[in-house]
Amino acid sequence: MPGVASVTGLRPVIMERSLKVIDEELQVAGPLYRRRGALAGRGVGDVVNWLTSLPAVVLVVGGLLLALLVAAVARVGVRMLVPVEERDRVPQIATPLMPTLGAAFAIFAALSLASEAGYLRAAEGLVSDEAAAASRLAWAATSPQVPSEPIHAALLDYLQTTRAREWAGTAAASGDDPATARAIARLERSVRTEAARPEVGTTTGTELVVSLDGVTSSRRARVAAASRDVPALYVVTLVVSGLALIVNSGALVFRSSLRTSLLIVGVASVVGLSLALLFALSAPWSGPFIVSGHPLDATIGDLKSGFFDGGS
């Protein structure tokens, strides 16, 4: 029949057009979904970065208040949400979960705090390496036939600018402060100009350039470390495990008097303080525990006192 044949012939055309439409929709929707997911992850990361930038007092007080509030809400919420005939089952369910939730939170907290404490120590090691590289350059500038004053002046300006403009906040993570960039350029020109002079010699010139590379490489490592963010999922997992432990504790005492219910304050306090300590340790260049710049300050003091010139 002609009608049937025409309909049959249209099916492949319709299917082909449908597939093209679906393919176009996927091409448009795919980047949108990926962008939406990236924005969601960025939003959580921004919240984590904001928390890590708060003062230690705010983190401690906020962590304790949040933990105690969750415990109180859990105690009242169980009373309101659980039917009267099922309240006897609440302790039977909540009691076996306490060791599991407590162990899970303890493991997550121990791993998180140990990792962040190790990162803080590593950051302090980077600062010590940068100070050592600056000292090597200062001593290399005292080699025979090398005028040490221009190099020492440029190195002193670089170290002081770094401590004043590039040590905390977003400048520490971006490494694009204009004043620091000019100080680095001046130091580079001073060292390479002296290293290129024929009377300096190959050995001394190489020592100057290698020492300069040590300073700039140490700075780059410090900037890279300062730009590191705490993984958002890492923090969310720890927070959820801590809140689950507090909620379960609140469910155990929902029938108890107010005085007896105060027993869960200890659990809530430990969780709140652990979270506060995690956020405090997670940002060595923008949080409450800024990495000490004492090694660089000591090198600055030595340059000002003439220590590298033999005290002259």
Side-chain angles (χ1 to χ4, degrees):
M1 296 176 63
V4 175
S6 60
V7 172
T8 305
L10 285 174
R11 287 179 179 176
V13 177
I14 294 174
M15 293 179 62
E16 182 179 357
R17 290 180 178 177
S18 300
L19 291 175
K20 288 183 178 179
V21 172
I22 294 173
D23 182 64
E24 292 175 357
E25 291 179 350
L26 289 175
Q27 291 179 358
V28 174
L32 293 177
Y33 282 116
R34 287 194 296 269
R35 184 179 178 184
R36 184 180 300 174
L39 290 175
R42 187 183 304 172
V44 177
D46 291 340
V47 173
V48 173
N49 292 334
W50 174 73
L51 288 173
T52 56
S53 65
L54 295 176
V57 176
V58 176
L59 289 174
V60 171
V61 175
L64 290 175
L65 290 178
L66 175 63
L68 295 176
L69 178 62
V70 171
V73 170
R75 180 174 180 271
V76 176
V78 171
R79 284 185 174 183
M80 297 177 59
L81 298 177
V82 178
V84 177
E85 61 273 10
E86 296 183 7
R87 290 183 178 179
D88 292 336
R89 300 179 57 187
V90 173
Q92 300 175 3
I93 298 174
T95 301
L97 292 177
M98 284 300 297
T100 303
L101 292 175
F105 176 75
I107 292 173
F108 287 140
L111 292 176
S112 303
L113 293 176
S115 175
E116 297 308 317
Y119 175 64
L120 180 60
R121 289 194 297 269
E124 293 174 347
L126 291 176
V127 177
S128 298
D129 293 341
E130 187 173 4
S135 297
R136 286 194 298 271
L137 177 59
W139 279 119
T142 61
S143 300
Q145 306 300 323
V146 177
S148 59
E149 291 81 6
I151 297 178
H152 283 178
L155 180 59
L156 177 61
D157 178 56
Y158 161 71
L159 294 177
Q160 290 178 327
T161 305
T162 296
R163 290 288 287 125
R165 305 289 298 271
E166 200 182 45
W167 201 255
T170 57
S174 62
D176 57 357
D177 178 67
T180 308
R182 289 192 296 269
I184 293 174
R186 179 189 173 193
L187 179 62
E188 289 271 359
R189 287 193 297 268
S190 298
V191 173
R192 296 187 183 279
T193 298
E194 297 302 328
R197 293 170 57 231
E199 58 269 23
V200 169
T202 303
T203 302
T204 303
T206 302
E207 183 182 6
L208 286 171
V209 174
V210 170
S211 300
L212 174 64
D213 291 342
V215 173
T216 55
S217 299
S218 299
R219 173 186 174 272
R220 182 52 54 189
R222 171 172 52 79
V223 171
S227 63
R228 173 250 190 194
D229 292 329
V230 184
L233 183 59
Y234 196 70
V235 176
V236 170
T237 302
L238 181 61
V239 171
V240 170
S241 63
L243 295 181
L245 178 61
I246 297 175
V247 171
N248 200 72
S249 302
L252 286 176
V253 296
F254 80 101
R255 280 183 169 178
S256 304
S257 64
L258 183 59
R259 291 184 179 181
T260 306
S261 301
L262 292 177
L263 294 174
I264 66 172
V265 171
V267 176
S269 300
V270 169
V271 174
L273 290 176
S274 298
L275 295 178
L277 181 58
L278 172 65
F279 290 127
L281 291 175
S282 299
W285 271 277
S286 61
F289 297 149
I290 300 294
V291 175
S292 173
H294 176 71
L296 293 185
D297 293 337
T299 305
I300 292 174
D302 291 340
L303 285 169
K304 289 182 176 180
S305 65
F307 172 78
F308 295 105
D309 295 323
S312 58

